[in-house]
Amino acid sequence: MHPDTVVAHFSDPAAVARYAEGPPRFVPGFADLQRMSGILLAERAPENARVLVLGAGGGLELKAFAKAQPGWSFDGVDPAGEMLKLAARTLGPLASRARLYQSYIDEAPEGPFDAAACLLTLHFLDAEERRRTAAEIRRRLKPGAPFVAAHSSFPQGEGRARWLSRYAAFAIASGADRDRVEGVRAAVDAHVNILSPEQDEAVLREAGFSDVSLFYAAFTWRGWVGYA
Ligand SMILES: C[S@@+](CC[C@H](N)C(=O)[O-])C[C@H]1O[C@@H](n2cnc3c(N)ncnc32)[C@H](O)[C@@H]1O
């Protein structure tokens, strides 16, 4: 999917207005994914950690991390301004602990950061850009600092269509509108750069992360933790 197309979608006020209702319906165990991500970062990050969040638009993980860890501060980076405005609204009074930057990783602060997260975002990037982006995150981390990535990643062989059907069925069973879900499924099928879990794990290793391990697997979603 071309980066401009992705950002255009996340700059559409109508799409942004209903953004927050999407992840809990499309991502099984979404709240627990955020909670586990925070726990994995906290294993290695200090109480006053400075945390980089890429694809921070909407502010959902910023809010979850900020509530779980009162001493952490955040640099939230996202190319879509509308999504960053939503992040500020989502954070409310917690916004004082987050600096928000409308940019890709290249213009993100240099850190060095104690931890980083990139949730529901890297599937929009093709393999090369995903590797480059992950490497740019790693370059901004202190040695040994943790990084959590979670996004759409599932077998791309003959089982692909069945997994996409399960993805859609989960959203419908969670209360999402059936017609909208079918539209999202078609768009994901046609435009999202989904890799297999093996390819995604290789991307993280090639970006320089060590001890990469899977901690989350739910239908079409996977999450990993690795260390700079
Ligand atoms: C599905 S939302 C996920 C937002 C948030 N991380 C969450 O879990 O709710 C994907 C976000 O990634 C952003 N995005 C798209 N391409 C990006 C890129 N190349 N680098 C960083 N963020 C990007 C979009 O603007 C959007 O805000």
Side-chain angles (χ1 to χ4, degrees), residues 144-226:
F147 171 52
V148 166
H151 48 266
S152 188
S153 179
F154 58 97
Q156 297 301 298
E158 60 181 36
R160 179 183 154 95
R162 190 182 318 134
W163 282 115
L164 281 171
S165 295
R166 291 167 175 167
Y167 163 78
F170 182 84
I172 292 166
S174 302
D177 175 74
R178 185 178 290 272
D179 289 341
R180 182 173 164 244
V181 170
E182 287 308 330
V184 172
R185 179 207 159 124
V188 168
D189 192 16
H191 302 301
V192 178
N193 296 301
I194 300 164
L195 304 183
S196 70
E198 295 76 18
Q199 289 171 313
D200 261 312
E201 205 167 306
V203 163
L204 294 176
R205 290 211 178 85
E206 287 158 16
F209 289 101
S210 58
D211 296 330
V212 175
S213 55
L214 184 76
F215 72 91
Y216 170 78
F219 276 5
T220 57
W221 303 89
R222 300 289 185 278
W224 297 265
V225 62

Side-chain angles (χ1 to χ4, degrees), residues 68-90:
Q69 296 290 338
W72 287 5
S73 64
F74 304 90
D75 287 57
V77 178
D78 195 297
E82 287 296 318
M83 286 293 280
L84 287 177
K85 284 188 209 160
L86 177 60
R89 291 197 295 276
T90 301

Side-chain angles (χ1 to χ4, degrees), residues 6 10 19 54-55 57 60-61 78-80 83 104 119-121 125:
V6 179
F10 287 107
Y19 175 73
L54 184 68
L60 299 177
E61 71 271 56
D78 195 297
M83 286 293 280
Y104 292 96
L119 304 184
L120 316 191
T121 295
L125 282 57

Side-chain angles (χ1 to χ4, degrees), residues 2-4 6-11 16 19-20 23-24 27 30 33-34 53-62 77-84 103-106 117-125 129 132-133 150 221:
H2 192 278
D4 292 347
V6 179
V7 175
H9 170 74
F10 287 107
S11 303
V16 173
Y19 175 73
V27 184
F30 178 63
L33 169 62
Q34 293 177 329
V53 177
L54 184 68
L60 299 177
E61 71 271 56
L62 284 171
V77 178
D78 195 297
E82 287 296 318
M83 286 293 280
L84 287 177
S103 77
Y104 292 96
I105 186 64
D106 310 273
C118 188
L119 304 184
L120 316 191
T121 295
L122 288 177
H123 50 225
F124 292 117
L125 282 57
E129 182 62 6
R132 195 188 71 79
T133 296
W221 303 89

